[in-house]
Amino acid sequence: MVAIITANYNQLTELVQGRTIRARSHPAAYPSPFPEPMSTFRRPADPSTDTGNLRRNGKRDRAQEIRNFLLEAVAQGIVGPGGKLPTERELAARFGMPRNTVRKTLAQLEAEGTITRHVGRGTYLADTGGFPADSITHTSPAELMEARMRLEPAMAELIVINATPADFERMETCLDRAERGTSLDDFEVWDAALHQALAAATHNRFVIRVFDMATAVRHQTEWGKLKDRVVTPERRLKYQEEHRTIVSALKARDADRARAAILAHLQHARRNLFGF
């Protein structure tokens, strides 16, 4: 088993470094599924000059490249549940981006429960398999919001019935980290993590899987650009207040109040995003 895990990690490392690897069932070599240059990735001529003035949209695009890379590795079976992932240094070199950008992307994946990180040991795909299927990545922000407004309020009763003290502690952590965040990006990481924590608190694997897919859509560049245009500091404070109201109702085991609070929050977000 150790030999298999080591072989898979080495294979993934070769992909990160852009090497050609051999398929086990074919003697002929095939190229990495991420050839250089990547068709959707524009590498700066000198990466060292690109560390101070990246615009938020540029950061989103480049962070998405890491997501896509890891998703493809999972889809090909190169890394499976619990498998070791490339290091920050290897990913930064592969994509020509600052390590702090890589670190933020990995922190986001960790907050979602997609990966786990252990100091001194490395980064690993979650035991659940981490990434959802990518067939939903063409979902529009409007479609996602429509689905969320019907699904999330319905979770309230499941959470009230099934949530444990550890679930509520996780929600409080997300609230605290979102409120302490110094940027919109920080807030969005913990905003998404809170909604994922709500899904996890249902202890219903189907619901959790659906929200894995919703989280994947939230990380599309289109969604990020839309939020950049409408989320002001004032609106962020209001969202944080609404999040506190939701969690308070859930901790009180009041399903009706929690359902109403979730719906009101999503209606507010929809008005800000789409104007209705």
Side-chain angles (χ1 to χ4, degrees), residues 151-261:
L151 295 172
E152 292 193 38
M155 293 193 312
E157 187 169 357
L158 282 173
I159 298 172
V160 163
I161 294 171
N162 296 327
T164 66
D167 292 322
F168 291 128
E169 183 177 348
R170 175 62 176 167
M171 294 176 202
E172 291 288 349
T173 297
C174 293
L175 293 173
D176 292 341
R177 294 292 295 271
E179 291 168 1
R180 293 204 305 267
T182 58
S183 68
L184 176 59
D185 286 340
D186 291 339
F187 170 72
E188 288 181 357
V189 167
W190 292 102
D191 175 30
L194 173 63
H195 287 275
Q196 200 73 18
L198 294 176
T202 67
H203 293 271
N204 181 297
R205 284 177 290 184
F206 181 80
V207 171
I208 294 168
R209 188 60 175 167
V210 168
F211 272 82
D212 285 342
M213 292 188 288
T215 299
V217 176
R218 283 170 65 109
H219 292 300
Q220 292 182 125
T221 300
E222 182 181 1
W223 178 269
K225 290 178 179 178
L226 183 61
K227 292 195 73 173
D228 285 346
R229 290 198 299 268
V230 302
V231 179
T232 63
E234 294 76 16
R235 286 173 173 171
R236 171 183 166 178
L237 290 173
K238 183 62 176 176
Y239 288 160
Q240 291 171 180
E241 178 184 325
E242 291 169 352
H243 287 162
R244 287 280 179 191
T245 300
I246 292 168
V247 173
S248 174
L250 291 170
K251 292 176 71 174
R253 308 286 180 177
D254 188 334
D256 290 338
R257 184 159 61 94
R259 187 183 303 109

Side-chain angles (χ1 to χ4, degrees), residues 32-254:
S32 160
F34 310 96
E36 285 289 352
M38 297 176 71
S39 59
T40 59
F41 177 68
R42 295 185 292 275
R43 185 189 301 279
D46 181 0
S48 67
T49 65
D50 195 42
T51 59
N53 299 307
L54 287 174
R55 292 175 298 178
R56 181 176 284 115
N57 288 342
K59 288 182 179 179
R60 291 185 191 282
D61 291 338
R62 301 174 83 191
Q64 188 62 37
E65 293 293 343
I66 297 176
R67 287 178 167 274
N68 292 342
F69 177 88
L70 296 177
L71 177 62
E72 184 67 17
V74 171
Q76 290 193 10
I78 295 170
V79 61
K84 190 172 184 180
L85 299 175
T87 66
E88 285 181 10
R89 184 185 301 276
E90 289 167 339
L91 289 170
R94 168 71 189 188
F95 294 101
M97 64 178 67
R99 286 184 65 178
N100 67 327
T101 301
V102 175
R103 189 174 299 116
K104 286 183 178 180
T105 301
L106 295 179
Q108 192 168 50
L109 293 172
E110 183 179 29
E112 296 163 13
T114 299
I115 64 172
T116 59
R117 295 193 290 176
H118 305 278
V119 176
R121 290 174 51 200
T123 302
Y124 299 82
L125 189 67
D127 289 336
T128 57
F131 293 89
D134 64 349
S135 59
I136 44 75
T137 55
H138 298 296
T139 302
S140 72
E143 289 173 321
L144 175 61
M145 181 58 73
E146 182 180 24
R148 288 181 64 194
M149 290 189 66
R150 284 154 180 79
L151 295 172
E152 292 193 38
M155 293 193 312
E157 187 169 357
L158 282 173
I159 298 172
V160 163
I161 294 171
N162 296 327
T164 66
D167 292 322
F168 291 128
E169 183 177 348
R170 175 62 176 167
M171 294 176 202
E172 291 288 349
T173 297
C174 293
L175 293 173
D176 292 341
R177 294 292 295 271
E179 291 168 1
R180 293 204 305 267
T182 58
S183 68
L184 176 59
D185 286 340
D186 291 339
F187 170 72
E188 288 181 357
V189 167
W190 292 102
D191 175 30
L194 173 63
H195 287 275
Q196 200 73 18
L198 294 176
T202 67
H203 293 271
N204 181 297
R205 284 177 290 184
F206 181 80
V207 171
I208 294 168
R209 188 60 175 167
V210 168
F211 272 82
D212 285 342
M213 292 188 288
T215 299
V217 176
R218 283 170 65 109
H219 292 300
Q220 292 182 125
T221 300
E222 182 181 1
W223 178 269
K225 290 178 179 178
L226 183 61
K227 292 195 73 173
D228 285 346
R229 290 198 299 268
V230 302
V231 179
T232 63
E234 294 76 16
R235 286 173 173 171
R236 171 183 166 178
L237 290 173
K238 183 62 176 176
Y239 288 160
Q240 291 171 180
E241 178 184 325
E242 291 169 352
H243 287 162
R244 287 280 179 191
T245 300
I246 292 168
V247 173
S248 174
L250 291 170
K251 292 176 71 174
R253 308 286 180 177
D254 188 334

Side-chain angles (χ1 to χ4, degrees), residues 2-16:
V2 173
I4 293 173
I5 294 173
T6 301
N8 284 348
Y9 176 66
N10 290 340
Q11 189 177 18
L12 182 57
T13 301
E14 288 177 331
L15 286 181
V16 172

